[in-house]
Amino acid sequence: MDAQNLPIQVIVHCDAEGELRPLRFRYEDGQHQIHTVHIEQVTDSREVEFVGIAAILYLCKAKADGKEHLYELKYTIQTHRWVLFRKLY
Amino acid sequence: MAERIIFHIDVNSAFLSWTAAYRCNVLGEEFDLRQVPSVIAGQKDSRRSIVLAKSMAAKKYGIQTGEPLGMAREKCPDLVVAEPDYNLYISASRKLMALLRDVSPVVEQFSIDEAWVDMTGTQRLYGSPVLAAQWLKERIKRELGFTVNIGISSNKMLAKMAGELEKPDKVLTLFPWEIEEKLWPLPVRELFYVGNATEKKLHRMGIYTIGELAHAEVGDLRRKLHKHGETIWHLANGRNADPLQPVAADNKGYGNAMTTPWDVTDLAYGQQVLLSLCETVAARMRRDGQTGRCVTVQLRTSQFESFSSQRQLPSATNGTTEIYEAACRILEEIWDRRTPLRQMGVQLSKVSHDSYRQYSMFDTVRYDRLEKLDTAVDGIREKYGEDAIRRASVLSFENPRKGAQEVAFHVQF
Ligand SMILES: [Mg+2]
């Protein structure tokens, strides 16, 4: 399945070491509905540099409508943009 | 002295691989251009735009780099076409070169997707050459998302030819003791620096394989092909004639050459390549506090014929502008603006430490101010990276075929 690459607004916590931790993000779906997701836990993060484009991927657990979901968010360092890369479940 | 170990790293179908890797690894698309017959071409919907890179599957249809898209589509109606993204290619290339410099301090970049790495004496660090190359190849694939060929030998040319033997994603060796078995059976056209014209002449002499060339009388070759004949004869015998940065007679020069991603056929693009070469050469000289008086421009056509010419400057310099202006005049003198160029080089010789300048009453530019500008640019680049500051004309690298007139050199104060 192709990734979604949905642009998102994010609230991020940045600690004194420069580590980023996304806390909350907001996106618009195909029906122009705005969804806000509260991240419960960042379960994993990794830095990538494919074709020279440095980015950090975050696996984020969140609850919505009583169900648990796993999102992969991507932060592109050069552009400072965040996307909802894919929703795993 | 211990034998040298040289790696030649070459990205497989560079533009295509980079676009494919971007789509798969950065955008997360499933579809992979590398798995289907596909090409990179200037404009998707123009029959006349040129194929810049092709996938292995497209190659099976006989599609060639440099041919018009219309022709490629006739060979393969289902051909997938993608347009080039030069910013991406520069980013991918830069990261690859940075990774190589991380592996060994001695890296010579040959083109946007090719470089030699001197691995002599790294055995204790990385293990035997073949294992080290395999590790490096896998590291590039894992970290950057594309495949490379690595050719290994004891000199640059053999390393490059090793990398050509089989594609893609391979580590190949071609040491001098292997050439009889691996190199000699191949047709002469496979030899570096043998283009169509040379191939025809060799055929007329009854020389069809590299082995036959290696055993030919060097006198005959010199008569029919001049200096070039001798060069390729040495190459066929595995001897490196080091044709990459020919050093001028009085030695001790600063030079830089590059193989362009595609053939240079218009003056504007040619000037742009010269400018970026002059920038590197001049910056290196300024860093070393050197100046030079003799500017040489070397050109190599897509048929691998080379010619060059030089020009004396009124006084020694290391200023980008002066070198560039001289280089442009040489280019206009020696090039007919039609013959496709594949490689261009700029060299500054007659190097000295002299730092005073002979002012000419006819100087059209204020050299002192340019000197300050150059120093400032070097400082910014050193501090913030090569990319921090660029000439306005280099930015239009994105579309070198358009805006021909805009490439004129602008310096703003
Ligand atoms: Mg290549």
Side-chain angles (χ1 to χ4, degrees):
Chain A
M1 196 185 69
D2 285 350
Q4 286 171 284
N5 277 310
L6 223 50
I8 53 173
Q9 295 178 322
V10 199
I11 294 174
V12 187
H13 175 267
C14 180
D15 73 14
E17 301 298 308
E19 292 293 330
L20 302 179
R21 187 162 50 92
L23 303 173
R24 227 187 284 171
F25 68 92
R26 194 154 74 161
Y27 67 95
E28 187 178 324
D29 68 16
Q31 279 76 49
H32 304 293
Q33 296 291 311
I34 304 287
H35 301 267
T36 302
V37 180
H38 294 258
I39 295 165
E40 287 187 347
Q41 195 194 353
V42 174
T43 59
D44 192 19
S45 75
R46 67 192 168 105
E47 293 186 29
V48 294
E49 207 162 359
F50 294 114
V51 275
I53 299 170
I56 310 175
L57 289 159
Y58 298 89
L59 271 183
C60 306
K61 258 191 200 154
K63 269 206 183 83
D65 323 318
K67 268 189 295 186
E68 193 180 85
H69 297 287
L70 189 64
Y71 299 95
E72 194 171 16
L73 305 188
K74 181 156 81 169
Y75 172 63
T76 303
I77 292 167
Q78 216 208 338
T79 60
H80 296 195
R81 280 169 205 254
W82 288 80
V83 292
L84 167 53
F85 192 56
R86 61 179 104 231
K87 188 177 176 185
L88 292 131
Y89 57 80
Chain B
M1 206 184 95
E3 182 190 43
R4 290 211 302 160
I5 297 290
I6 308 293
F7 283 9
H8 177 262
I9 289 93
D10 181 3
V11 179
N12 301 125
S13 317
F15 287 4
L16 189 108
S17 291
W18 287 335
T19 292
Y22 176 74
R23 292 183 179 185
C24 293
N25 297 122
V26 179
L27 297 183
E29 293 176 8
E30 290 254 299
F31 178 75
D32 190 337
L33 286 167
R34 291 166 288 198
Q35 309 300 327
V36 299
S38 65
V39 297
I40 301 291
Q43 284 164 294
K44 265 180 158 175
D45 44 10
S46 159
R47 284 183 52 83
R48 281 165 52 215
S49 80
I50 299 295
V51 172
L52 301 171
K54 58 187 184 301
S55 66
M56 294 303 287
K59 193 180 176 182
K60 292 209 177 88
Y61 283 85
I63 291 167
Q64 288 179 355
T65 304
E67 76 180 351
L69 188 53
M71 206 187 278
R73 279 214 163 99
E74 273 161 34
K75 291 175 183 171
C76 174
D78 296 329
L79 192 66
V80 180
V81 183
E83 293 182 358
D85 176 348
Y86 297 111
N87 290 327
L88 172 71
Y89 303 159
I90 289 166
S91 139
S93 171
R94 188 166 297 138
K95 186 63 209 171
L96 173 64
M97 299 302 158
L99 189 151
L100 297 180
R101 284 191 193 98
D102 191 44
V103 169
S104 161
V106 191
V107 175
E108 181 181 337
Q109 185 172 356
F110 180 57
S111 71
I112 193 165
D113 74 316
E114 277 177 70
W116 283 281
V117 180
D118 194 333
M119 296 292 282
T120 312
T122 63
Q123 205 110 334
R124 281 161 171 253
L125 205 52
Y126 301 114
S128 77
V130 175
L131 290 178
Q134 248 138 18
W135 164 81
L136 178 58
K137 176 173 82 71
E138 292 308 312
R139 181 175 165 194
I140 293 167
K141 202 193 304 182
R142 190 179 61 242
E143 293 183 15
L144 305 183
F146 52 84
T147 63
V148 297
N149 260 33
I150 301 184
I152 310 172
S153 189
S154 51
N155 70 49
K156 291 202 293 193
M157 284 303 104
L158 283 183
K160 180 166 168 62
M161 285 187 281
E164 305 280 338
L165 293 172
E166 197 189 338
K167 286 173 179 178
D169 200 14
K170 292 278 187 307
V171 168
L172 302 146
T173 62
L174 187 56
F175 285 104
W177 59 88
E178 297 175 293
I179 62 174
E180 190 172 342
E181 174 204 347
K182 292 184 177 176
L183 190 62
W184 286 357
L186 302 177
V188 278
R189 126 174 55 85
E190 298 293 323
L191 195 63
F192 200 48
Y193 295 119
V194 174
N196 280 340
T198 310
E199 184 189 21
K200 270 187 206 130
K201 285 183 197 160
L202 291 172
H203 284 182
R204 253 180 267 133
M205 296 170 74
I207 296 170
Y208 293 91
T209 66
I210 296 174
E212 285 165 353
L213 175 63
H215 291 112
E217 275 297 321
V218 67
D220 288 349
L221 291 166
R222 222 181 283 138
R223 253 190 311 285
K224 300 257 166 56
L225 296 156
H226 314 287
K227 185 116 206 305
H228 189 54
E230 199 174 332
T231 306
I232 58 174
W233 177 73
H234 280 299
L235 279 180
N237 281 292
R239 290 185 288 266
N240 196 1
D242 201 7
L244 291 154
Q245 295 199 20
V247 179
D250 56 354
N251 217 333
K252 214 49 189 142
Y254 283 72
N256 189 15
M258 86 178 243
T259 304
T260 47
W262 51 84
D263 290 349
V264 176
T265 50
D266 64 83
L267 189 63
Y269 182 31
Q271 287 171 338
Q272 220 169 336
V273 175
L274 278 188
L275 176 56
S276 79
L277 292 171
C278 289
E279 290 227 278
T280 7
V281 171
R284 271 165 49 204
M285 295 187 79
R286 294 195 289 269
R287 189 195 58 207
D288 295 355
Q290 305 268 19
T291 55
R293 274 197 66 180
C294 178
V295 180
T296 307
V297 171
Q298 296 130 4
L299 305 175
R300 184 164 287 135
T301 68
S302 55
Q303 305 284 357
F304 297 97
E305 288 148 333
S306 22
F307 43 105
S308 70
S309 179
Q310 46 185 233
R311 223 183 158 93
Q312 300 287 334
L313 297 171
S315 61
T317 185
N318 55 22
T320 303
T321 311
E322 288 164 86
I323 301 171
Y324 171 65
E325 283 172 355
C328 282
R329 262 176 267 141
I330 300 171
L331 178 68
E332 287 174 42
E333 268 166 33
I334 62 174
W335 182 46
D336 61 8
R337 307 185 190 189
R338 276 196 317 273
T339 312
L341 301 177
R342 175 57 60 86
Q343 195 186 332
M344 303 180 74
V346 171
Q347 207 202 9
L348 214 70
S349 45
K350 297 238 166 84
V351 171
S352 67
H353 273 290
D354 283 359
S355 57
Y356 63 87
R357 156 188 308 290
Q358 169 110 44
Y359 279 95
S360 151
M361 290 180 65
F362 305 106
D363 278 353
T364 47
V365 208
R366 288 294 309 278
Y367 285 130
D368 287 345
R369 297 179 81 186
L370 288 177
E371 235 169 67
K372 278 185 196 144
L373 176 73
D374 283 339
T375 315
V377 168
D378 291 349
I380 292 170
R381 286 200 170 133
E382 199 156 299
K383 213 162 164 188
Y384 302 105
E386 277 297 314
D387 234 12
I389 183 161
R390 290 208 239 171
R391 305 249 172 206
S393 70
V394 176
L395 290 176
S396 72
F397 185 65
E398 269 191 274
N399 199 343
R401 304 217 170 243
K402 283 187 196 156
Q405 303 317 314
E406 287 164 28
V407 179
F409 193 67
H410 300 296
V411 181
Q412 283 160 357
F413 294 96

